[in-house]
């Protein structure tokens, strides 16, 4: 019978970062993952790291690549058709910035560090089940190569994403779920072409939303809003580039360098929050507990702040013998999550074309709100504060 202190379900960025931080404190942990490591690395997702996340990566001792090749951005642009406004992140937040460095790279760095430290990640498990999570002796059962195994532990970190098993372990009459599904998705394209601009450009355009992002000076990441009925196979590279060019502000579109896509996919947009994020000795972390539309670049960053909170609590439990602080997890995490959910909802509501799903008055409100916020120093400061990330809350 295998035993560990913290059983981590899921080897995405949440599970890997938590495992790395706990190990740095000598807190034993085992990660169970449903798919292969290669499959996890095949998911092209986030690209912008808040200051707090970058500091956590440094504390975890895996920041070498991020600090070498990640790009510090002290500004981001918002375009309203052809009008471009720069949000000077550092100037408006007293020096904070973001780092452009892909989620795949972060995951790769964490996987490599875990492997080099000889820490256990069991890939390709199936039928993961969480047991006795309200007791002092919770355990996890899982199948591997047709054999059922048991992992005894003190605590379970549910880092298994939106479709995982952890959230389902909290009884329906205990958990409350809040959800908003948006009537459009994002068609994303990754290409080895130089980015159209040095900084990201979020574009509110009469044809629909677009985002010009990047992974490096030679690799671009673009998104355009599409109806939920769209299929990625109906979008040739040429069709994508033509539509993107029409949605970028003209002064940027003229610099667009096109090329063959190396990845292309459509992601639906939703806001989702589960309350509470803790049930006995089970803690929901990252996408297992909440989902945001990517418009605010918050998804991965909220997962990171969840990890920071659980890591600090586990350190107090095992290094100081303080178990009282465990009960703070859900409230601390939810305060920051609801802030991130609101910002992501607000940016999505203000910048996308709801194509009649919003009444005309609300459309006018969104346009007026956009105009106010990009013209007002106070408005730009509000965006800057949220974009670089609100401070992480300490454990009392
Ligand atoms: P993940 O979903 O990444 O990882 C969960 C892991 O658990 C997976 O590896 C899964 O295989 C495993 N798992 C699931 N069930 C299991 C089980 N029963 N047993 C064992 N393992 C199990 N965020 C941004 O900030 N910016 C973006 O641009 C952005 N774009 C996104 C695009 C898409 C298509 C998606 C889906 C998300 C995007 N996100 C973005 C959000 C994304 O980055 C998540 O916030 C991030 O992956 C969260 O990481 P985890 O919490 O580790 O969850
Ligand atoms: C990305 O580069 O993938 C990205 C950046 C910012 C966002 C969403 C996605 O808000």
């Amino acid at each position: 019978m295998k035993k560990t202190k913290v059983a981590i379900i899921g080897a995405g960025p949440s599970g890997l970062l938590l495992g790395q931080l706990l190990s740095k404190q000598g807190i034993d942990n085992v990660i169970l993952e449903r798919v292969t490591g290669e499959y996890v690395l095949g998911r092209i997702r986030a690209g912008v790291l808040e200051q707090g996340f970058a500091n956590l990566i440094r504390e975890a001792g895996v920041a070498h690549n991020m600090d070498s090749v990640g790009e510090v951005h002290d500004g981001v642009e918002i375009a309203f058709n052809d009008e471009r406004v720069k949000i000077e992140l550092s100037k408006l937040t007293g020096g904070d910035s973001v780092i452009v460095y892909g989620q795949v790279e972060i995951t790769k760095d964490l996987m490599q560090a875990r492997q080099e430290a000889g820490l256990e990640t069991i890939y390709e498990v199936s039928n993961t089940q969480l047991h006795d999570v309200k007791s002092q002796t919770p355990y996890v059962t899982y199948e591997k190569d047709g054999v059922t195994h048991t992992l005894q532990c003190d605590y379970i970190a549910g880092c298994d994403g939106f479709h995982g098993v952890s959230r389902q372990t909290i009884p329906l009459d205990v958990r409350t779920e809040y959800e908003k599904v948006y009537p459009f998705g994002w068609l994303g394209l990754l290409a080895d072409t130089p980015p159209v601009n040095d900084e990201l450009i979020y574009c509110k355009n009469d044809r629909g939303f677009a985002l010009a992002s990047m992974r490096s000076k030679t690799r671009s990441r673009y998104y355009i809003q599409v109806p939920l009925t769209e299929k990625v196979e109906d979008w040739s590279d040429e069709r994508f580039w033509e539509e993107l060019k029409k949605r970028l502000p003209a002064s940027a579109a003229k610099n667009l360098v096109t090329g063959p896509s190396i990845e292309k996919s459509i992601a639906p947009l939703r806001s989702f929050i589960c309350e509470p994020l803790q049930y006995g000795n089970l803690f929901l972390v990252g996408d297992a507990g909440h989902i945001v539309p990517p418009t605010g670049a918050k998804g991965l960053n909220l997962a990171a702040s969840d990890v920071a909170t659980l890591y600090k609590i586990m350190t107090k439990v095992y290094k100081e013998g303080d178990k009282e602080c465990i009960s703070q997890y859900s409230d601390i995490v939810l305060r920051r999550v609801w802030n991130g959910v609101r910002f992501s909802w607000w940016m999505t509501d203000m910048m996308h074309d709801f194509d009649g799903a919003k009444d005309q008055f609300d459309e006018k409100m969104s346009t007026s709100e956009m105009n106010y916020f990009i013209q007002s120093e106070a408005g730009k400061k509000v965006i800057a504060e949220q974009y670089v990330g609100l401070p992480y809350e300490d454990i009392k």
Side-chain angles (χ1 to χ4, degrees):
M1 185 93 68
K2 198 183 281 286
K3 182 157 175 44
T4 188
K5 289 191 169 60
V6 180
I8 299 174
I9 317 295
S14 293
L16 288 166
L17 180 54
L18 178 64
Q20 180 67 14
L21 287 163
L22 292 177
S23 302
K24 299 284 285 179
Q25 292 294 336
I27 300 170
D28 184 45
N29 61 87
V30 172
I31 299 182
L32 300 177
E33 168 54 56
R34 186 179 54 179
V35 296
T36 63
E38 293 69 29
Y39 189 93
V40 175
L41 291 174
R43 300 178 184 130
I44 307 299
R45 290 185 174 168
V48 172
L49 311 184
E50 291 175 351
Q51 193 86 50
F53 191 176
N55 294 336
L56 205 55
I57 291 292
R58 295 182 185 112
E59 184 172 350
V62 293
H64 175 72
N65 290 341
M66 179 189 74
D67 285 332
S68 312
V69 302
E71 286 183 26
V72 176
H73 282 210
D74 59 15
V76 64
E77 285 195 29
I78 290 185
F80 193 175
N81 289 323
D82 286 337
E83 181 191 358
R84 297 168 65 169
V85 171
K86 176 162 175 169
I87 308 290
E88 295 178 284
L89 299 173
S90 295
K91 189 172 144 220
L92 292 163
T93 62
D96 278 347
S97 52
V98 293
I99 292 185
V100 171
Y101 187 64
Q103 173 171 326
V104 172
E105 308 315 316
I106 288 270
T107 306
K108 210 178 284 178
D109 297 342
L110 286 163
M111 276 181 181
Q112 188 178 336
R114 188 166 182 87
Q115 194 171 23
E116 286 168 1
L119 301 171
E120 191 169 16
T121 304
I122 305 171
Y123 287 98
E124 296 185 280
V125 302
S126 59
N127 195 18
T128 313
Q129 292 182 35
L130 283 52
H131 306 271
D132 295 352
V133 298
K134 297 281 278 184
S135 78
Q136 293 311 304
T137 52
Y139 64 97
V140 180
T141 55
Y142 62 93
E143 284 174 29
K144 171 77 178 168
D145 302 331
V147 176
T148 297
H149 300 267
T150 298
L151 175 61
Q152 288 188 322
C153 53
D154 299 334
Y155 302 99
I156 302 173
C159 302
D160 47 349
F162 183 70
H163 301 289
V165 65
S166 298
R167 188 174 67 252
Q168 310 305 330
T169 305
I170 301 180
L172 271 174
D173 62 353
V174 172
R175 67 180 199 259
T176 304
E177 296 183 350
Y178 304 86
E179 183 165 40
K180 182 178 185 59
V181 177
Y182 298 90
F184 39 76
W186 278 18
L187 167 59
L189 180 144
L190 192 68
D192 280 331
T193 56
V196 75
N197 190 47
D198 292 343
E199 295 174 334
L200 276 70
I201 311 178
Y202 289 79
C203 312
K204 179 182 175 72
N205 183 281
D206 295 340
R207 296 178 66 88
F209 173 81
L211 170 60
S213 182
M214 64 205 72
R215 291 292 176 269
S216 68
K217 292 206 183 319
T218 59
R219 178 165 285 194
S220 301
R221 178 70 168 162
Y222 295 107
Y223 298 92
I224 57 172
Q225 161 190 356
V226 291
L228 286 173
T229 49
E230 288 295 309
K231 300 270 178 292
V232 67
E233 50 269 23
D234 295 336
W235 282 84
S236 68
D237 290 2
E238 291 65 36
R239 185 185 176 197
F240 180 92
W241 292 121
E242 274 316 300
E243 185 57 35
L244 175 69
K245 215 177 272 182
K246 291 172 184 166
R247 297 190 190 187
L248 291 172
S251 56
K254 65 182 175 50
N255 302 327
L256 182 65
V257 176
T258 64
S261 61
I262 46 181
E263 192 270 352
K264 204 163 42 180
S265 56
I266 294 180
L269 271 60
R270 81 171 79 230
S271 301
F272 174 89
I273 307 89
C274 171
E275 287 191 353
L277 291 173
Q278 172 182 356
Y279 183 65
N281 290 312
L282 167 62
F283 303 89
L284 299 188
V285 182
D287 279 19
H290 42 78
I291 296 283
V292 287
T295 327
K298 289 299 156 210
L300 179 61
N301 287 299
L302 289 174
S305 50
D306 294 0
V307 168
T309 300
L310 187 54
Y311 158 59
K312 286 184 250 182
I313 286 175
M314 287 291 106
T315 302
K316 284 177 82 70
V317 166
Y318 286 107
K319 311 293 270 189
E320 301 172 23
D322 169 4
K323 287 195 174 184
E324 288 306 303
C325 63
I326 288 176
S327 60
Q328 296 177 49
Y329 175 78
S330 188
D331 290 345
I332 290 176
V333 168
L334 282 169
R335 276 192 284 272
R336 194 170 194 277
V337 162
W338 277 110
N339 251 311
V341 164
R342 191 203 59 74
F343 178 65
S344 306
W345 159 80
W346 177 70
M347 285 283 280
T348 304
D349 188 68
M350 189 168 66
M351 298 200 77
H352 286 74
D353 172 6
F354 279 70
D355 192 23
K358 248 187 339 188
D359 69 30
Q360 286 186 321
F361 177 82
D362 289 346
E363 284 292 359
K364 284 291 185 186
M365 287 298 98
S366 297
T367 303
S368 166
E369 189 160 41
M370 174 87 179
N371 269 321
Y372 168 73
F373 271 88
I374 62 175
Q375 303 301 336
S376 145
E377 279 313 300
K380 286 187 265 193
K381 185 174 170 57
V382 165
I383 294 172
E385 277 184 353
Q386 291 275 2
Y387 197 80
V388 299
L390 298 178
Y392 287 11
E393 197 174 321
D394 279 332
I395 312 299
K396 293 180 193 60

